[in-house]
Amino acid sequence: MDRKAMRYKSKLTESIINEAVKTHGEGAAALLSSTNIRSAVTKTIPTYSPELDKILAMDRSGNYGMPSGRIVGVSGQEACGKTTFGMMVMKSCQQMGGIAHIVETENAFDPAYADELGLNLDELIISQPDYLEQGLDMIKNDALKFKEAKEEYIKETGDKWDVPMIILFDSIAGTAPKDEMEADSFNDNQARALHARILSKFFRVISGIISKEEICLICTNQTKVDTNVRYGNKNAEIGGRALKFHASLRLDLWRSGFIRETKDGDPIGIETTFKTIKNKVMVPFKQVTV
């Protein structure tokens, strides 16, 4: 390619970017080398396990941990440490000066246990929605309020907004849609696949906001045994495939052992194995036991 063609190519590239920004706003288009692209992880939230952090994500500063601006799916069977893991990440976010909000649908949150883990209960926001749509609306409202506060701060001070936010939705399987709650009978087929349809619509709407505002959204989910599968992995997640598709990072957890003070003593903790079954911000299919 000669110099004249190179010059016209550069002019065309600049024109495409400027037109997109003029029409759709700042950040609508940029070169991949730009520092303004949303796909880059600008901030990570540590989990208090350096070994686990290194298989999750790395930000531009070289720090490891949970990625901001991403949807994270955490799945596993009962009592494998999903909620405890989420609370530890919220604690880390609080210590970074950020905001933590748990949308708790199982009505089983223990404030005393959260206090023992080191969470600041005076700053921890908790919501316990009555049905699925209510919980999802709360998450969307969080993101929009966070956006308003960020824009107001930047407009007033001119400084960079450096307040992280984490939202823990615990859990997808823990609450039913409104129509299912109001159904006359448990055999009502009207609500079939309603859970999955609502989640699919929600993640399509929220994923762009989460990315732009650099919020970390963690969604926990239980696995169940699919009796229709004869061979291979019989574990299936509740709520369809929406979370699997939209999550940039998916963690599969299982309890791999107990921690005991003596050989025959009562368990004082568990060993949990984390596996990244999907990771778009780091090398996937890594595994570590915590």
Side-chain angles (χ1 to χ4, degrees):
M1 186 180 295
D2 58 25
R3 290 184 178 180
K4 190 173 183 179
M6 288 286 291
R7 189 167 66 251
Y8 270 84
K9 188 188 82 168
S10 299
K11 186 177 179 181
L12 173 61
T13 302
E14 185 179 352
S15 175
I16 290 171
I17 294 173
N18 291 338
E19 182 64 26
V21 171
K22 181 180 177 181
T23 306
H24 304 289
E26 191 67 33
L31 292 173
L32 195 59
S33 58
S34 171
T35 58
N36 296 323
I37 60 171
R38 299 178 193 173
S39 59
V41 177
T42 58
K43 187 187 296 292
T44 53
I45 303 172
T47 65
Y48 293 97
S49 172
E51 295 83 3
L52 177 59
D53 288 343
K54 288 183 180 180
I55 70 171
L56 300 178
M58 182 178 72
D59 61 23
R60 288 172 175 166
S61 302
N63 300 316
Y64 295 95
M66 295 289 283
S68 293
R70 300 284 176 158
I71 297 172
V72 180
V74 180
S75 61
Q77 294 183 352
E78 72 283 352
C80 66
K82 299 185 294 297
T83 302
T84 300
F85 169 69
M87 287 196 288
M88 293 302 292
V89 181
M90 287 196 297
K91 172 187 172 183
S92 181
C93 181
Q94 285 183 335
Q95 293 185 341
M96 294 170 67
I99 302 168
H101 184 183
I102 176 171
V103 181
E104 200 267 327
T105 66
E106 299 173 348
N107 299 307
F109 187 77
D110 185 358
Y113 181 57
D115 187 48
E116 286 289 335
L117 290 178
L119 275 163
N120 185 349
L121 302 186
D122 293 331
E123 295 185 357
L124 178 64
I125 305 169
I126 182 169
S127 301
Q128 293 177 312
D130 297 324
Y131 47 87
L132 179 63
E133 293 92 332
Q134 193 180 86
L136 301 180
D137 284 341
M138 289 175 181
I139 295 174
K140 183 180 178 182
N141 182 65
D142 279 358
L144 295 177
K145 290 296 182 183
F146 185 82
K147 178 182 179 181
E148 290 177 8
K150 179 180 178 181
E151 291 174 347
E152 185 178 345
Y153 175 84
I154 294 173
K155 183 178 180 180
E156 184 177 333
T157 65
D159 296 332
K160 182 181 178 183
W161 175 263
D162 197 30
V163 178
M165 182 173 190
I166 184 166
I167 304 171
L168 174 62
F169 185 38
D170 186 33
S171 66
I172 285 177
T175 186
K178 186 177 181 180
D179 286 351
E180 188 175 322
M181 296 279 288
E182 296 175 351
D184 295 333
S185 170
F186 289 111
N187 294 323
D188 190 355
N189 291 325
Q190 186 179 1
R192 181 172 293 178
L194 185 60
H195 208 142
R197 293 200 303 271
I198 292 172
L199 287 171
S200 181
K201 181 179 179 180
F202 167 74
F203 283 119
R204 287 199 303 270
V205 172
I206 203 68
S207 58
I209 304 174
I210 290 294
S211 175
K212 187 175 181 180
E213 304 309 322
E214 297 182 354
I215 299 169
C216 181
L217 173 59
I218 302 176
C219 300
T220 67
N221 200 2
Q222 284 80 25
T223 57
K224 63 178 182 178
V225 177
D226 189 347
T227 56
N228 294 322
V229 177
R230 291 191 175 184
Y231 305 102
N233 187 8
K234 294 185 178 182
N235 291 333
E237 294 183 24
I238 299 169
R241 304 181 64 86
L243 179 59
K244 294 181 179 181
F245 179 81
H246 289 280
S248 296
L249 172 62
R250 289 180 56 218
L251 295 171
D252 193 10
L253 278 63
W254 65 90
R255 187 177 63 220
S256 51
F258 289 100
I259 302 171
R260 305 175 190 270
E261 288 184 327
T262 61
K263 183 178 179 181
D264 300 324
D266 294 332
I268 59 170
I270 63 171
E271 293 180 350
T272 299
T273 300
F274 292 75
K275 184 176 182 180
T276 55
I277 53 178
K278 177 183 178 181
N279 197 340
K280 299 177 76 173
V281 291
M282 185 70 80
V283 179
F285 310 118
K286 297 290 185 179
Q287 183 173 311
V288 64
T289 299
V290 177

